[in-house]
């Protein structure tokens, strides 16, 4: 596949190329033949469930693990055989790994000292870094005297101090509480973008990946399921795993009934109507079994039966989760299946369906996706 | 509800007091009381009597007579022999501590880095020798070190030396014995400290461009300071007063405070002088003991 991946500043991609990396521990295949291209300036998120191999992949980039096979090419140089201390890569550790016996200043200066930089230059750089993360006032503190968010900033400053070609973030928000997390996500992105460093981050939180990254790769059991922009992955997941991993989905298992060039019709036992999509499903389906997927926010609820014979179903309101801006309706179909639908709460006291009310859920022809099971 | 918790709290306080009471009693019985007796004897005069010293307080002519005698201390300060003995002991303790640290640190480091299952085995190996009598183990060293002992025989058989080395009854033998006997006391606190280290700190150090040795000196070593202090104190303090090892493995002329004390007590039956010697030794050790206590408090705080 030739895909000229362009970065945000328009420079040609392939700054970091991961080629067919395999890593096994005894009999566990932690990373299974992963290939990725990451452009200069990208913030690239590896997203996956626990045990999917994201940390292992990141640690191979940092040099703490050696792949069984494959290449890692950074800026034209194969770095697989380089020791961690030789790589132009710095990492922000999950628990930050700040040196507890050193002050903030000394922590940031640590990497610069290893380069035998003159003292005055180190001091300048440290001040510059402290300013970057807004921690000038805390230069003389020890890590234990800082809050979680402050520690994270110091860790970020320390990993940026050597101006690495590649910045690695391992679960960057893992040690923070929910509120702080949302704030720091944006702040960290601001800092990374102001420096312009290429960044690979690992997270199991899809919201975090979508907030922070401009490209995401979903990992499952050591393999990449899909990679692309957050929008691509959300709107056009290429597999059931990808669809289920990001956001919530209503799924109907079924089989292709009509497969025309500009539309397809799907029979499903899980719904009382046929499903219709206004685009051709790929021709190469010998196996007629498919899964129809539609996101809750793409469905509508009404009290009146919708027109037409496709893409609607009847049920009763089983549960309502009021989330402020919108509510999530859990609709129980006749066959017991639960469907999720979002309703925007735009009016303060709108006359919305309530518990156990009979309602219809419907969606437009281009809202659904046809996936392989 | 509040009342209940308060009562529970009071109960806990009560329990705490009991928990503290037991060791306090133990300390009173086995430390404070003997110490007071030694203190008393140190300020008495030697006498041909049973026990062989004069009483501090006597009752005569309807009056208490307090008889505090400083002669022992004056005597000790006038004879250079005692000062030499003290200095020798301190030197011996310092060198032994350093040697134990030198040998014990790498051992503790490797045990702490080993797999958990291996760690248990290695720690057991460290502790295993102390399950046999200390005295027997020191006697065993005589068999190893004497001129026709195991070591010399092995060296001669290998052709490394053609005449037996004189090791037994020298300072070398004393150091071998002390390092051998006290090594576990160095290794255990060091291990306890090193095993708690967060490996990601070393990775962070490497990530920032430091090699193994730099990472060790700048991260691992400073962070193990408390372990080093604890281990050193556990070796230094008892070695200052060590008697058995210099007596059995050292030369007759090796002058250390433990031996001098023994001689004064058993050979000269001068209990007051022996007590004064012990008292001064205790004062000398106050400083390191104070350090040790500070360390323990710190460790405890960190542990919380
Ligand atoms: N040092 C190791 N020895 C043996 N197996 C390992 C080791 N490190 C990781 N694994 C295995 O490799 C697989 C991937 O682990 P990895 O830590 O990369 O997952 P992850 O995606 O980071 O998960 P999490 O979100 O829980 O951190 C897991 O099955 C794990 O058990
Ligand atoms: Mg992980």
């Amino acid at each position: 596949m030739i895909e000229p991946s362009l970065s945000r500043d328009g420079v040609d991609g392939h700054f970091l190329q991961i080629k067919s990396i395999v890593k096994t521990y005894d009999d566990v295949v932690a990373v299974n033949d992963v290939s990725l291209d990451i452009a200069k300036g990208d913030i690239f998120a590896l997203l996956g469930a626990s045990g999917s191999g994201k940390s292992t992949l990141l640690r191979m980039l940092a040099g703490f693990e050696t792949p069984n096979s494959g290449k890692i090419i950074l800026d034209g140089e194969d770095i697989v055989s380089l020791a961690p201390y030789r790589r132009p890569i710095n990492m922000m550790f999950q628990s930050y790994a700040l040196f507890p016996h050193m002050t903030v200043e000394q922590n940031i200066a640590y990497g610069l000292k290893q380069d035998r930089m003159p003292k005055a230059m180190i001091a300048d750089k440290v001040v510059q870094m402290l300013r970057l993360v807004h921690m000038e006032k805390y230069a003389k503190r020890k890590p234990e005297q800082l809050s979680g968010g402050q520690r994270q900033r110091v860790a970020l400053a320390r990993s940026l101090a050597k101006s690495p070609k590649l910045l690695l973030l391992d679960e960057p928000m893992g040690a923070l509480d929910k509120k702080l997390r949302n704030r720091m996500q944006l702040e960290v992105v601001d800092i990374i973008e102001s420096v312009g460093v290429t960044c690979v981050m690992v997270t199991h939180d899809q919201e975090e990946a979508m907030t922070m990254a401009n490209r995401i790769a979903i990992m499952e059991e050591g393999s990449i399921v899909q990679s692309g922009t957050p929008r691509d992955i959300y709107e056009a997941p290429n597999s059931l795993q990808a669809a289920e991993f990001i956001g919530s989905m209503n799924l109907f298992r079924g089989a292709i009934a009509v497969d025309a060039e500009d539309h397809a019709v799907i029979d499903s036992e899980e719904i009382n109507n046929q499903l219709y999509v206004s685009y051709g499903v790929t021709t190469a389906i010998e196996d007629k079994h498919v899964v129809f997927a539609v996101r809750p926010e793409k469905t509508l609820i009404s009290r009146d039966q919708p027109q037409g014979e496709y893409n609607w179903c009847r049920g009763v309101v089983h549960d309502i989760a009021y989330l402020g801006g919108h509510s999530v309706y859990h609709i129980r179909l006749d066959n017991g299946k639960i469907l999720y639908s979002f309703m925007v709460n735009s009016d303060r006291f709108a006359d919305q369906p309530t518990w156990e009310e009979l309602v219809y859920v419907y969606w437009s022809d281009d809202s659904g996706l046809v996936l392989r099971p | 509800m509040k009342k209940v918790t308060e009562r529970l709290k009071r109960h806990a306080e009560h329990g705490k007091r009991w928990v503290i009471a037991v060791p306090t009693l133990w300390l009173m019985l086995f430390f404070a009381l003997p110490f007071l007796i030694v203190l008393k004897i140190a300020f008495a005069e030697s006498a041909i009597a049973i026990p062989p010293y004069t009483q501090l307080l006597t009752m005569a002519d309807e009056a208490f007579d307090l008889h505090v005698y400083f002669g022992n201390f004056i005597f000790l300060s006038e004879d250079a022999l005692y000062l030499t003995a003290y200095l020798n002991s301190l030197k011996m303790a310092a060198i032994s501590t350093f040697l134990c640290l030198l040998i014990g640190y790498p051992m503790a480091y490797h045990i702490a880095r080993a797999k958990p299952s291996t760690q248990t085995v290695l720690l057991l190996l460290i502790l295993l020798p102390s399950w046999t009598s200390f005295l027997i183990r020191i006697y065993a060293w005589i068999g190893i070190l004497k001129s026709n002992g195991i070591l010399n025989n092995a060296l001669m058989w290998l052709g490394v030396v053609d005449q037996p080395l004189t090791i037994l009854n020298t300072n070398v033998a004393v150091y071998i014995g002390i390092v051998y006997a006290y090594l576990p006391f160095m290794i255990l606190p060091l291990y306890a400290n090193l095993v708690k280290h967060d490996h990601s700190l070393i990775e962070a150090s490497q990530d920032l461009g430091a090699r193994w040795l730099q990472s060790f000196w700048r991260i691992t070593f400073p962070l193990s300071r408390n372990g080093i202090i604890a281990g050193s104190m556990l070796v230094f303090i008892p070695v200052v007063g060590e008697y058995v090892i210099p007596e059995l493995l050292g030369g007759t002329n090796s002058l250390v405070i433990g031996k001098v004390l023994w001689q004064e007590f058993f050979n000269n039956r001068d209990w007051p002088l022996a007590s004064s010697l012990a008292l001064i030794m205790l004062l000398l050790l106050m400083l390191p003991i104070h350090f040790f206590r500070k360390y323990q408090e710190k460790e405890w705080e960190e542990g919380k």
Side-chain angles (χ1 to χ4, degrees):
Chain A
M1 185 165 59
I2 300 160
E3 180 191 44
S5 59
L6 291 178
S7 79
R8 282 162 300 171
D9 21 339
V11 183
D12 201 22
H14 311 308
F15 181 68
L16 171 66
Q17 286 172 286
I18 298 171
K19 289 188 171 171
S20 313
I21 288 285
V22 176
K23 175 72 186 178
T24 57
Y25 293 108
D26 303 325
D27 51 348
V28 182
V29 185
V31 172
N32 187 6
D33 193 16
V34 164
S35 297
L36 285 171
D37 271 353
I38 293 165
K40 197 171 175 135
D42 263 356
I43 298 179
F44 193 97
L46 290 168
L47 177 62
S50 187
S52 55
K54 0 181 244 306
S55 292
T56 307
L57 185 55
L58 200 74
R59 291 172 59 78
M60 285 192 283
L61 292 178
F64 300 132
E65 309 281 351
T66 316
N68 299 47
S69 64
K71 282 183 181 168
I72 300 172
I73 295 167
L74 177 65
D75 205 9
E77 187 191 2
D78 189 353
I79 58 168
V80 163
S81 54
L82 282 188
Y85 57 81
R86 286 188 189 282
R87 298 191 183 197
I89 295 175
N90 286 125
M91 176 152 161
M92 188 172 98
F93 287 76
Q94 175 161 13
S95 49
Y96 309 139
L98 293 174
F99 305 129
H101 58 303
M102 296 185 193
T103 61
V104 166
E105 233 171 20
Q106 289 167 329
N107 263 284
I108 297 176
Y110 189 88
L112 302 171
K113 278 191 189 154
Q114 301 304 328
D115 287 353
R116 304 191 188 285
M117 204 188 247
K119 276 220 166 74
M121 268 173 79
I122 293 181
D124 281 353
K125 188 85 190 181
V126 168
V127 170
Q128 187 191 332
M129 283 295 133
L130 284 170
R131 200 172 301 143
L132 181 71
V133 297
H134 311 298
M135 288 287 290
E136 298 101 315
K137 274 186 276 177
Y138 303 92
K140 302 277 187 243
R141 296 255 190 117
K142 289 272 181 74
E144 61 182 11
Q145 298 166 310
L146 300 176
S147 73
Q150 291 168 338
R151 276 179 215 178
Q152 189 187 43
R153 288 174 213 220
V154 176
L156 185 62
R158 186 178 72 176
S159 54
L160 287 173
K162 293 184 80 172
S163 313
K165 286 184 179 174
L166 182 65
L167 174 70
L168 306 175
L169 308 176
D170 190 2
E171 298 276 359
M173 306 296 154
L176 303 180
D177 59 57
K178 179 108 180 80
K179 239 203 169 118
L180 190 57
R181 208 175 275 196
N182 294 340
R183 208 184 76 209
M184 289 309 290
Q185 281 168 358
L186 296 174
E187 204 173 317
V188 167
V189 169
D190 272 353
I191 292 170
I192 292 172
E193 286 187 335
S194 74
V195 177
V197 65
T198 309
C199 173
V200 176
M201 61 180 274
V202 152
T203 177
H204 61 264
D205 180 350
Q206 47 132 331
E207 209 179 298
E208 186 172 302
M210 296 179 91
T211 311
M212 295 180 70
N214 61 334
R215 296 242 295 149
I216 294 176
I218 296 180
M219 271 189 97
E220 193 163 292
E221 290 178 8
S223 304
I224 302 289
V225 176
Q226 186 177 5
S227 74
T229 64
R231 174 169 227 118
D232 285 345
I233 290 188
Y234 189 82
E235 298 294 348
N238 64 1
S239 68
L240 203 53
Q241 291 133 311
E244 281 184 308
F245 200 87
I246 293 218
S248 51
M249 270 289 189
N250 294 306
L251 300 173
F252 300 96
R253 275 153 220 288
I256 300 271
V258 179
D259 186 6
E261 199 172 318
D262 64 342
H263 73 272
V265 178
I266 297 159
D267 279 329
S268 170
E269 305 212 321
E270 298 184 307
I271 189 169
N272 47 351
N273 276 308
Q274 282 186 312
L275 300 159
Y276 180 97
V277 286
S278 62
Y279 52 86
V281 178
T282 44
T283 48
I285 296 181
E286 300 93 34
D287 185 4
K288 296 275 181 199
H289 290 282
V290 291
V291 176
F292 178 84
V294 61
R295 295 218 179 262
E297 73 273 16
K298 303 230 173 354
T299 63
L300 294 163
I301 298 174
S302 107
R303 290 197 175 94
D304 309 315
Q305 182 168 331
Q307 305 291 312
E309 48 188 318
Y310 302 120
N311 291 350
W312 61 267
C313 52
R314 193 181 61 211
V316 293
V317 178
H318 179 68
D319 210 347
I320 306 171
Y322 178 78
L323 298 177
H326 68 268
S327 299
V328 182
Y329 275 71
H330 300 209
I331 314 284
R332 191 177 63 244
L333 306 189
D334 297 340
N335 57 11
K337 187 181 173 70
I338 301 281
L339 227 59
Y340 302 101
S341 180
F342 288 0
M343 185 172 295
V344 177
N345 299 320
S346 48
D347 286 344
R348 279 183 68 202
F349 300 106
D351 173 30
Q352 290 176 345
T354 181
W355 274 268
E356 298 303 328
E357 228 187 293
L358 183 76
V359 291
Y360 297 88
V361 182
Y362 62 99
W363 54 89
S364 64
D365 295 347
D366 57 358
S367 299
L369 283 165
V370 181
L371 302 168
R372 308 271 208 107
Chain B
M1 192 62 218
K2 214 172 174 184
K3 256 189 197 161
V4 173
T5 46
E6 247 163 46
R7 198 175 295 172
L8 271 176
K9 238 186 217 161
R10 222 175 313 149
H11 241 80
E13 287 293 315
H14 208 71
K16 237 188 241 168
R17 226 172 289 157
W18 268 107
V19 169
I20 295 169
V22 174
T24 308
L25 209 70
W26 195 88
L27 272 179
M28 292 298 271
L29 219 62
F30 296 106
F31 177 75
L33 211 62
F35 175 75
L36 286 176
I37 295 172
V38 168
L39 190 69
K40 183 185 108 157
I41 301 175
F43 289 100
E45 263 181 278
S46 177
I48 302 175
I50 295 174
Y53 55 87
T54 57
Q55 293 301 314
L56 214 56
L57 267 179
T58 44
M59 176 77 162
D61 301 333
E62 295 167 359
F64 276 117
D65 272 338
L66 184 65
H67 186 77
V68 182
Y69 181 67
F70 293 101
N72 300 316
F73 295 96
I74 295 169
F75 182 75
L76 286 181
S77 66
E78 279 171 349
D79 193 337
L81 174 121
Y82 298 108
L83 182 68
T84 317
Y86 277 123
L87 290 179
N88 279 349
S89 285
L90 290 177
K91 192 179 107 188
M92 178 175 78
I95 294 178
S96 310
T97 305
F98 181 72
L99 290 175
C100 280
L101 184 64
L102 213 63
I103 300 168
Y105 200 106
M107 289 174 80
Y109 183 87
H110 283 286
I111 297 173
R113 285 278 169 285
K115 274 189 302 184
S117 52
T118 322
Q119 281 182 18
T120 322
V121 176
L122 293 175
L123 283 175
L124 210 67
L125 286 177
I126 298 284
L127 289 173
L128 212 58
S130 49
W131 291 3
T132 46
S133 150
F134 172 72
L135 217 53
I136 289 175
R137 284 183 293 140
I138 298 304
Y139 271 118
W141 275 104
I142 297 178
I144 296 171
L145 297 176
K146 66 184 176 188
S147 55
N148 61 344
I150 297 170
L151 181 67
N152 272 316
N153 284 344
L155 287 178
M156 287 188 17
W157 183 75
L158 286 171
V160 181
V161 293
D162 40 34
Q163 275 203 332
L165 297 173
T166 320
I167 304 174
L168 193 63
N169 302 329
T170 64
N171 277 344
V172 177
V174 175
Y175 284 125
I176 290 176
I178 292 178
V179 169
Y180 163 76
Y182 285 93
L183 200 55
F185 296 97
M186 180 61 86
I187 291 177
L188 293 180
L190 273 175
Y191 162 80
N193 177 292
L194 287 169
V195 79
K196 282 188 294 186
H197 283 207
D198 179 0
H199 186 61
S200 66
L201 293 181
I202 297 301
E203 287 186 343
S205 167
Q206 291 186 327
D207 186 71
L208 291 166
R211 286 151 196 250
W212 184 87
L213 201 62
Q214 287 163 316
S215 302
F216 176 80
W217 281 119
R218 301 200 50 199
I219 310 296
T220 310
F221 193 72
L223 286 177
S224 60
R225 196 192 62 204
N226 286 342
I228 295 173
I229 293 176
S232 298
M233 291 304 129
L234 284 181
V235 175
F236 187 86
I237 294 168
V239 170
V240 170
E242 180 59 47
Y243 162 73
V244 174
I245 297 172
E247 175 66 23
L248 292 181
L249 302 181
T252 39
N253 55 351
S254 76
L255 194 64
V256 292
I257 207 66
K259 277 174 75 175
V260 172
L261 217 152
W262 175 280
Q263 277 159 11
E264 293 297 348
F265 195 85
F266 289 99
N267 300 4
N268 299 350
R269 271 182 72 77
D270 192 341
W271 289 21
L273 198 66
S275 298
S276 327
L277 275 168
L279 204 65
I280 292 176
M281 189 171 86
L282 197 72
L283 290 176
L284 279 176
L285 290 178
M286 278 303 211
L287 207 73
I289 288 174
H290 176 72
F291 262 124
F292 183 52
R293 272 208 32 209
K294 267 243 167 98
Y295 152 80
Q296 275 190 319
E297 268 166 30
K298 227 186 190 167
E299 239 354 42
W300 203 75
E301 294 271 300
E302 276 169 22
K304 265 199 297 191

